[in-house]
Amino acid sequence: MKTTTRVAVIGGGVVGCSVLYHLTKLGWPDVMLIERSELTSGSTWHAAGGFHTLNGDTNMAALQGYTIRLYKELEEITGMSCGLHHVGGITLADNRDRFDMLLAERAKHRFMGLETEIVGPEEIAKIAPITNLDGIIGALYDPLDGHLDPSGTTHAYARAARMGGATIETHCMVRETNQRADGTWDIVTDKGTIHAEHVVNAGGLWAREVGAMAGVYFPLHPMEHQYIVTDDIPDIYERAAEHPHVMDPAGESYLRQEGRGLCIGFYEQTCRPWAVDGTPWSFGHELLPDDFDKIEHSIEFAYKRFPVLASAGVKSVIHGPFTFAPDGNPLVGPVPGLRNYWSACGVMAGFSQGGGVGLTLAQWMIEGEPERDVFAMDVARFGDWISPGYTLPKVTENYQKRFSVAYPNEELPAARPNRTTPMYDIFCGMGAVWGQQYGLEVANYFARDDEPAYETPSFRRSDAFAATGREVRGVRAGVGINEVQNFGKYRVTGPRARDWLDHVMAGRVPDPGRVGLTPMLSPKGRLIGDFTISCLSDSEFQLTASYGSQAYHLRWFRKHKQDGVTVENISDNRTGFQIAGPKSRAVLDACTRADVTGMRFLDVRRMTLGMTDCIVQRLSYTGDLGYEIYCDAMAQRHLWNTLWQAGQAHDMIPFGMRAMMSLRLDRFFGSWLSEFSPDYTAAETGLDRFVSFRKDADFIGRAAAEAERDTGTARKLAAFEVAAEDADVQGYEPIWLDGRVQGYCTSGGYSHHAQKSIALGFLPTERIAEGLAVEIEILGQMRPATLITTPLFDPDGARLRG
């Protein structure tokens, strides 16, 4: 057995073998895989082997498309068969909401180049004739859907990796993973110790246990999953062609041909977690006992949807565990807080996503960053607040909703409330309707007594519409208040703090008493952060950014740490409020003896409000006159009382995130992970106006940003006024120009101030001009839209800066 290697991949399922192959493909041949038993000994061997491109996240869908296309390449490289069956598949819709979801997905696929199609009952009858069409409105047809041989595919990955120089060591049990002082790893096995520069946890069912060896908790949990293979069915084996896949969300089932019969699996509501206290090391090629009781109702529904099942005998039952993360997506990337330790686990849909996961991780390790925004599966999307007590109910909920409609405004209830601020009970008493971000309860809007206390999920304007409009008007006409808890906040101190910020941030670092806005770039010039820098002194700065990106951003800060600089995450220690609107200055002035009128736009000062020492900075994401006020979390309730009491003379109202996202549209302000993400550059999004090319610092991404400045960009972000009806842009709707798709939306919504539907999105740079007429496809309808360049509110910035 080899005793040294550049990369040690722990786990021999389809994901581990894919990672191994992609590392060799991208140029690292000195890699090895360690498997305690045989390859495919976890969830891989008993998987149903289906694959599809449908995914609500476009980057995940793109990676699934890559995975599917890769299989023919693997067959050509290795001469092995993956057992491919490209039979196509349909996803059924039996109500308007399900059909709206399919329309939204089809629209996304247009600009992604995926050839999916919306079909009606007549076409469904031809594609999948065994389907009972009672109540079916339509379906989404995907010609790429299919299935394969799980074992053959995994071994094809393994052979391709070996051909590239990789080593695979089976029947080798990992006992410990110990990090040396230089960041490399000693992997202690029952065959000896292996010294590796990097470790990849692809442990599958055992990923939790492998992570624990390094002191890391991975938020994963196995769930029992059952599918049935029938005896021969004449309606199947007498067909001239193989029957396609059928996904029936209403019945929580998926169905495909298996030999001369059918294979049907279920995501039942009466689901059961498995191995709650840890996966036994002795488990491997076993199955769980058959359990027809928990799928009784699912089978009954399936007999109605697919009547041929009622007369078919059962040939075999496959009942085994699969591992899920709380949101159902994989956990991939460098593990925060550990050097040279990587995650490739939680890949529930291994044969749809395994290739994309392997490619992404290999790019990350070898090239320093993946080619696209993969935050949806980044292991850093969960923070250190997460626990097994949170993971279990969320994983159960995710399993139950596997085939449910995914609404853009849906707030899932499991494991909530979890993390709350001192304002939670006060806001509850004021009618707050809650959302959550990064485990934190965040007020979406405030309902009156005669309004629903829960927002009904919808693809169209929801029952939050009236309350949101009321809050927007309250801010624009007077003054509104909301929390700033849901900002990520960092304290940067030390004698070299300014130099360090000049290196990691692309924008100008402000002088003492001033605030600056800056993008943070990757070496390739991609956006990895959208920050506000507040200079409190020459050696103390406050950074604010997305609350949900804390672990992601801290991982980057630690990677680039320098002597003479200390970076602290104070996101939950420093909190406070934003006040905004034309009367906000009067409210602030009533709370302090400090000079408020002398504060200019982008000033920051320490001042006392009531009895609370605060940091106050003059700016607002609402685009209005406004202030962000930060204090110690222990003083937040007193600060609230001070501001709220002073605000009563000015008709102050609380407002939530729904109003905030409407208000920002008036000024065409972008949002993190919508307009600003690693998919885009500063120049494409307009953030290049905050890049300081004049500063004497070699900031990360400078060369790429300068090259783009000199050559220009192929696309640019623009704003559009949309002739919408009852549905606004959510994101990824295609933009039609000259009869074809030439762009797509990043986000949008309704401007309650201007009473217009607004969208933000990308078009070719040379086509962007005031008044350009386009069409935006919203839920299957072509809606006229006009490109606009003048903000809907305060276009000259008089109120914002005055």
Side-chain angles (χ1 to χ4, degrees):
M1 182 182 75
K2 284 181 61 174
T3 58
T4 62
T5 185
R6 189 168 196 173
V7 182
V9 179
I10 302 174
V14 64
V15 175
C17 290
S18 172
V19 170
L20 195 72
Y21 162 66
H22 282 93
L23 286 170
T24 64
K25 182 179 181 180
L26 269 62
W28 280 11
D30 180 21
V31 294
M32 72 181 297
L33 183 147
I34 308 165
E35 164 56 43
R36 66 183 184 87
S37 182
E38 295 285 351
L39 298 182
T40 80
S41 293
S43 296
T44 297
W45 79 269
H46 61 74
F51 54 78
H52 58 273
T53 58
L54 186 63
N55 191 294
D57 183 279
T58 56
N59 281 317
M60 292 294 294
L63 288 171
Q64 289 175 197
Y66 166 81
T67 300
I68 294 167
R69 291 189 296 272
L70 178 64
Y71 292 134
K72 288 185 179 179
E73 179 183 325
L74 280 177
E75 290 184 331
E76 293 171 358
I77 291 171
T78 65
M80 298 177 65
S81 172
C82 293
L84 291 176
H85 295 254
H86 274 290
V87 296
I90 57 172
T91 301
L92 303 173
D94 67 335
N95 61 43
R96 186 72 233 181
D97 282 357
R98 291 191 200 281
F99 195 59
D100 278 350
M101 183 179 77
L102 298 184
L103 290 171
E105 291 303 307
R106 172 64 188 113
K108 295 176 186 177
H109 296 164
R110 288 193 197 278
F111 73 84
M112 295 174 63
L114 297 175
E115 298 299 325
T116 57
E117 182 183 356
I118 296 292
V119 295
E122 290 185 5
E123 291 95 336
I124 297 171
K126 297 175 184 176
I127 297 169
I130 66 170
T131 307
N132 177 359
L133 297 174
D134 289 350
I136 296 298
I137 298 174
L140 180 72
Y141 174 70
D142 185 349
L144 284 180
D145 269 19
H147 57 277
L148 46 65
D149 170 24
S151 178
T153 300
T154 304
H155 283 277
Y157 274 123
R159 177 177 288 185
R162 286 190 179 105
M163 292 170 67
T167 301
I168 296 176
E169 192 74 31
T170 58
H171 298 284
C172 184
M173 179 74 177
V174 174
R175 303 290 190 188
E176 300 175 20
T177 57
N178 302 312
Q179 190 164 40
R180 295 184 180 182
D182 64 358
T184 62
W185 291 84
D186 286 326
I187 302 160
V188 181
T189 78
D190 57 0
K191 291 184 176 181
T193 298
I194 301 165
H195 179 223
E197 182 181 347
H198 299 270
V199 174
V200 176
N201 181 349
L205 288 173
W206 295 269
R208 294 176 298 174
E209 286 70 31
V210 172
M213 295 177 188
V216 178
Y217 171 64
F218 283 88
L220 298 166
H221 203 91
M223 297 292 294
E224 298 179 3
H225 182 65
Q226 196 165 210
Y227 64 91
I228 295 169
V229 178
T230 74
D231 287 328
D232 295 356
I233 299 174
D235 286 2
I236 296 300
Y237 66 74
E238 291 178 354
R239 282 174 52 86
E242 187 172 355
H243 197 281
H245 289 205
V246 184
M247 275 63 69
D248 181 22
E252 299 164 339
S253 71
Y254 59 89
L255 174 146
R256 67 168 175 84
Q257 184 170 338
E258 175 69 19
R260 290 161 59 91
L262 290 169
C263 165
I264 183 168
F266 306 98
Y267 283 89
E268 68 284 354
Q269 294 300 300
T270 54
C271 59
R272 290 178 186 155
W274 181 77
V276 174
D277 296 317
T279 303
W281 289 109
S282 59
F283 189 82
H285 280 277
E286 302 89 344
L287 288 173
L288 306 177
D290 297 350
D291 189 351
F292 288 100
D293 289 344
K294 71 173 182 174
I295 59 173
E296 178 182 0
H297 295 297
S298 299
I299 292 176
E300 182 181 353
F301 194 100
Y303 283 0
K304 295 176 182 177
R305 180 70 75 214
F306 310 107
V308 296
L309 291 171
S311 57
V314 174
K315 179 185 292 186
S316 60
V317 179
I318 309 298
H319 190 200
F322 290 86
T323 302
F324 293 74
D327 58 4
N329 280 344
L331 300 178
V332 181
V335 174
L338 283 182
R339 185 176 168 192
N340 296 343
Y341 192 100
W342 305 79
S343 175
C345 51
V347 190
M348 183 280 302
F351 293 98
S352 291
Q353 300 173 342
V357 166
L359 173 68
T360 295
L361 193 65
Q363 288 175 336
W364 219 328
M365 297 177 73
I366 296 172
E367 300 172 8
E369 58 184 287
E371 66 182 279
R372 63 180 71 244
D373 174 20
V374 293
F375 189 77
M377 64 178 183
D378 192 334
V379 65
R381 71 186 184 275
F382 297 110
D384 56 11
W385 52 268
I386 204 165
S387 68
Y390 176 90
T391 300
L392 179 56
K394 293 304 288 187
V395 164
T396 302
E397 177 185 61
N398 180 268
Y399 184 100
Q400 291 170 326
K401 296 186 72 64
R402 176 73 179 159
F403 280 155
S404 297
V405 179
Y407 297 96
N409 66 327
E410 186 171 23
E411 296 288 349
L412 301 178
R416 294 179 58 197
N418 180 27
R419 306 174 72 231
T420 62
T421 76
M423 292 302 299
Y424 184 75
D425 60 327
I426 293 176
F427 281 169
C428 281
M430 300 177 78
V433 178
W434 296 96
Q436 72 85 31
Q437 183 186 18
Y438 204 60
L440 175 73
E441 295 296 314
V442 178
N444 278 340
Y445 64 96
F446 293 82
R448 288 176 172 169
D449 292 341
D450 60 345
E451 294 175 333
Y454 172 75
E455 183 181 8
T456 304
S458 176
F459 286 91
R460 301 169 190 272
R461 292 172 187 164
S462 75
D463 46 15
F465 190 79
T468 302
R470 181 171 63 244
E471 293 173 17
V472 167
R473 290 186 292 273
V475 171
R476 289 287 186 243
V479 59
I481 184 170
N482 75 347
E483 285 190 277
V484 292
Q485 175 66 25
N486 59 324
F487 289 164
K489 296 173 284 288
Y490 312 91
R491 185 170 180 259
V492 181
T493 56
R496 300 198 69 244
R498 178 176 292 275
D499 292 338
W500 181 79
L501 286 170
D502 259 331
H503 175 62
V504 297
M505 299 295 176
R508 191 179 70 82
V509 180
D511 295 329
R514 295 290 286 167
V515 175
L517 307 178
T518 177
M520 185 167 72
L521 305 180
S522 75
K524 295 181 180 180
R526 298 285 172 173
L527 291 170
I528 57 172
D530 171 30
F531 280 81
T532 299
I533 305 178
S534 306
C535 181
L536 303 176
S537 73
D538 282 322
S539 60
E540 181 182 2
F541 299 83
Q542 175 179 280
L543 310 182
T544 54
S546 165
Y547 186 80
S549 298
Q550 290 174 55
Y552 173 85
H553 285 146
L554 276 173
R555 181 177 64 195
W556 187 256
F557 294 157
R558 288 166 178 157
K559 180 178 180 179
H560 297 280
K561 67 180 180 180
Q562 297 177 357
D563 292 339
V565 183
T566 300
V567 181
E568 305 168 75
N569 183 5
I570 57 171
S571 298
D572 294 327
N573 299 326
R574 187 171 289 175
T575 185
F577 302 94
Q578 173 187 194
I579 59 173
K583 299 180 181 179
S584 57
R585 181 184 283 118
V587 172
L588 184 62
D589 189 54
C591 298
T592 182
R593 298 179 61 84
D595 176 20
V596 172
T597 57
M599 281 193 77
R600 301 167 297 164
F601 180 60
L602 296 181
D603 270 355
V604 58
R605 297 183 184 176
R606 296 184 185 274
M607 60 179 67
T608 301
L609 276 62
M611 296 188 296
T612 308
D613 290 331
C614 301
I615 295 170
V616 181
Q617 51 196 38
R618 190 182 151 190
L619 74 163
S620 173
Y621 191 52
T622 66
D624 212 323
L625 172 66
Y627 304 85
E628 292 175 357
I629 306 167
Y630 297 90
C631 69
D632 184 277
M634 293 293 288
Q636 188 184 17
R637 288 182 70 131
H638 172 74
L639 178 59
W640 163 261
N641 290 333
T642 300
L643 292 168
W644 186 249
Q645 289 171 14
Q648 296 313 293
H650 303 283
D651 300 319
M652 176 182 276
I653 65 160
F655 68 104
M657 288 306 298
R658 294 280 187 267
M660 178 76 84
M661 297 307 283
S662 175
L663 289 159
R664 60 107 184 181
L665 291 175
D666 297 339
R667 296 279 304 176
F668 311 152
F669 288 169
S671 175
W672 183 245
L673 293 184
S674 293
E675 286 68 44
F676 310 139
S677 84
D679 279 334
Y680 312 126
T681 66
E684 288 176 328
T685 59
L687 286 184
D688 54 337
R689 67 189 185 276
F690 298 117
V691 174
S692 179
F693 292 108
R694 294 182 177 180
K695 71 178 182 179
D696 185 20
D698 185 20
F699 59 84
I700 299 170
R702 178 162 193 154
E706 287 178 336
E708 190 171 54
R709 176 195 59 186
D710 296 338
T711 61
T713 63
R715 62 183 178 182
K716 283 277 193 178
L717 190 66
F720 303 87
E721 181 182 332
V722 188
E725 290 185 349
D726 63 341
D728 303 298
V729 161
Q730 301 290 339
Y732 297 111
E733 292 84 352
I735 302 175
W736 292 75
L737 178 60
D738 300 334
R740 60 191 178 93
V741 176
Q742 297 198 50
Y744 61 94
C745 298
T746 50
S747 72
Y750 189 76
S751 165
H752 288 271
H753 167 73
Q755 298 183 28
K756 296 177 179 180
S757 184
I758 302 298
L760 302 178
F762 285 102
L763 275 183
T765 302
E766 70 273 11
R767 299 304 305 273
I768 292 177
E770 177 74 30
L772 177 70
V774 301
E775 290 183 302
I776 297 177
E777 184 179 349
I778 302 177
L779 301 180
Q781 293 189 342
M782 306 296 282
R783 308 306 308 171
T786 304
L787 193 150
I788 54 178
T789 58
T790 302
L792 306 173
F793 169 77
D794 195 27
D796 58 358
R799 199 144 106 183
L800 180 68
R801 295 178 172 84

